[in-house]
């Protein structure tokens, strides 16, 4: 299979983005799958346009986008992208949209069509703490997940797509009090395992990752 995997450039106060550091370091050399890696800009709309260009060029079977979620304790596989931009900080081009549609008159949300529970199971089996997340936020990561799934629904439902958020690296966490982090090698192992599970499982498994409030 051809797998497109993307990370993001650094944004906000951070000088490094673990998502691209990890994407850059992964390797599927032992498998028959082909990996295409790219770094997306942390800019509303430009990020989606760059992603669409990559999809049109490489025609992947699977698209996995990866972003930083500073403060999260686990790798988190996103279940859903929602049709809203609501920026807490400006993107890297200075845009701060508030309550704007990503796609005017588009669906309110789209679910990832990757086997997210199977991916989480395999990642946890490898010792990489992983959870399902029910919100990718309302910044550029959610924007890209929504844009990806909109493309898949409208243009090519054969593609499997989704998003994983990764924690800070330890070097980043040293700057903040009481903040979780994960070593790069574990993030890399988690992503490699996620990709292999996405290639292997044709349908998802039924195990609960539900939450109560
Ligand atoms: N994280 C941000 C955008 C880029 C990234 O790595 C987010 O969660 O929206």
């Amino acid at each position: 299979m051809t797998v497109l995997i993307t990370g993001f450039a650094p944004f906000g106060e951070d000088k490094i983005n673990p998502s691209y550091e990890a994407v850059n370091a992964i390797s599927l050399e032992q498998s028959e799958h082909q990996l295409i890696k790219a770094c997306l800009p942390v800019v509303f709309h430009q990020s989606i346009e760059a992603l669409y260009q990559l999809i049109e060029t490489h025609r992947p079977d699977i698209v996995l986008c990866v972003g930083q979620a500073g403060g999260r304790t686990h790798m988190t596989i996103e279940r859903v992208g929602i049709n809203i931009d609501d920026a807490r900080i400006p993107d890297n081009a200075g845009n701060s949209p508030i309550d704007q549609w990503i796609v005017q008159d588009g669906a309110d949300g789209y679910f990832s069509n990757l086997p997210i529970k199977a991916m989480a199971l395999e990642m946890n089996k490898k010792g990489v703490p992983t959870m399902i997340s029910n919100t990718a936020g309302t910044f550029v990561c959610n924007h890209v997940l929504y844009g990806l799934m909109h493309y898949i629904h409208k243009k090519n439902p054969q593609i499997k797509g989704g998003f994983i958020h990764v924690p800070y690296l330890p070097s980043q966490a040293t700057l903040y009090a009481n903040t979780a982090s994960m070593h790069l090698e574990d993030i890399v192992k988690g992503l490699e395992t996620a990709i292999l599970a996405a290639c292997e499982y044709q349908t998802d498994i039924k195990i609960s990752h539900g939450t109560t409030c």
Side-chain angles (χ1 to χ4, degrees), residues 193-206:
T193 307
I195 293 168
L196 292 176
C199 292
E200 195 179 308
Y201 286 81
Q202 295 313 305
T203 50
D204 206 357
I205 54 173
K206 273 220 186 314

Side-chain angles (χ1 to χ4, degrees), residues 8 11 17 19 42 67-68 136 139-142 165:
F8 277 105
F11 67 101
N17 191 322
S19 67
V42 184
Q68 162 183 307
F139 192 50
V140 180
C141 287
N142 171 71
H165 265 118

Side-chain angles (χ1 to χ4, degrees), residues 73-87:
T73 55
H74 286 51
M75 295 200 42
T76 42
I77 308 176
E78 298 297 345
R79 195 195 296 261
V80 59
I82 57 175
N83 190 9
I84 202 80
D85 288 334
D86 189 2

Side-chain angles (χ1 to χ4, degrees), residues 2-7 20 36-41 46-65 144 148 151 159:
T2 300
V3 180
L4 170 63
I5 182 157
T6 67
Y20 189 64
I36 315 282
K37 303 175 182 183
C39 187
L40 298 179
Q46 269 182 32
S47 47
I48 291 182
E49 282 155 27
L51 183 67
Y52 287 179
Q53 194 86 57
L54 287 159
I55 295 173
E56 302 278 335
T57 306
H58 299 286
R59 304 260 153 213
D61 303 294
I62 292 174
V63 182
L64 179 62
C65 300
V144 160
L148 168 62
Y151 180 97
I159 298 176

